[in-house]
């Protein structure tokens, strides 16, 4: 089993979807349907590009290593690598709901 | 001392800046300079608006309760309330650097 498959299996518990996109922003590995892929990548790529440019506008030497959206019952985590992006959709633990950010 | 002042004092350790904006997106309380305020609010408001609209496009019943940017040495946390936004700029703990998102 490849390293990526192992990593995907390790996080499968709370993770509802995992998507890896290549340099062109398209999905190269995913645990979700094609329709979910294209919907998520379309939106997330726009936001990540915008967020990264904002970070660089404020300080060109800086960079964004993780973008995390907390929603009502899910979280979307995006790791914007140079030639890939890892997008994880995970459930929020009941205990975390309403937990204050540290 | 008002409840807000107490809350601000409680988080002052690792927090490098705390900014509360009102319904119009302008700063109503801040621990930073006017210049830092306007720079941060200008950028962050655009991004939060974009992120919220993306979340609603994907699922109108959903909403974003926290947006978190992890940068090289800092984190920006944004709590998008209905009539206010709380923007926190905090340092990353040495131990958290490179820590995997849970």
């Amino acid at each position: 089993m490849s390293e990526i498959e192992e990593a995907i299996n390790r996080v499968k518990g709370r993770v509802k979807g995992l998507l890896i996109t290549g340099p062109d922003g398209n999905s190269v590995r995913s645990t979700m349907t094609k329709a979910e892929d294209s919907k998520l990548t379309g939106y997330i790529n726009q936001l990540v590009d915008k967020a990264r440019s904002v970070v660089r506008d404020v300080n060109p030497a800086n960079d964004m290593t993780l973008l995390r959206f907390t929603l009502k019952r899910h979280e979307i985590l995006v790791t914007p690598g140079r030639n890939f992006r890892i997008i994880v959709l995970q459930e929020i633990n009941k205990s975390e709901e309403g937990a204050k950010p540290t």
Side-chain angles (χ1 to χ4, degrees), chain A residues 34-36 44 48 58 77 87 90 94:
Chain A
K34 282 240 173 301
E36 286 167 332
I44 296 291
V48 172
V58 175
L77 297 97
I87 302 169
Q90 70 179 9
K94 285 292 159 242

Side-chain angles (χ1 to χ4, degrees), chain A residues 22-38:
Chain A
D24 57 5
N26 292 322
S27 164
V28 293
R29 177 83 77 217
S30 174
T31 61
M32 298 184 281
T33 66
K34 282 240 173 301
E36 286 167 332
D37 277 5
S38 54

Side-chain angles (χ1 to χ4, degrees), chain A residues 42-60:
Chain A
Y43 285 123
I44 296 291
N45 284 331
Q46 277 178 54
L47 264 174
V48 172
D49 295 341
K50 177 93 185 147
R52 273 188 121 171
S53 73
V54 162
V55 166
R56 292 234 175 95
D57 285 352
V58 175
N59 173 0

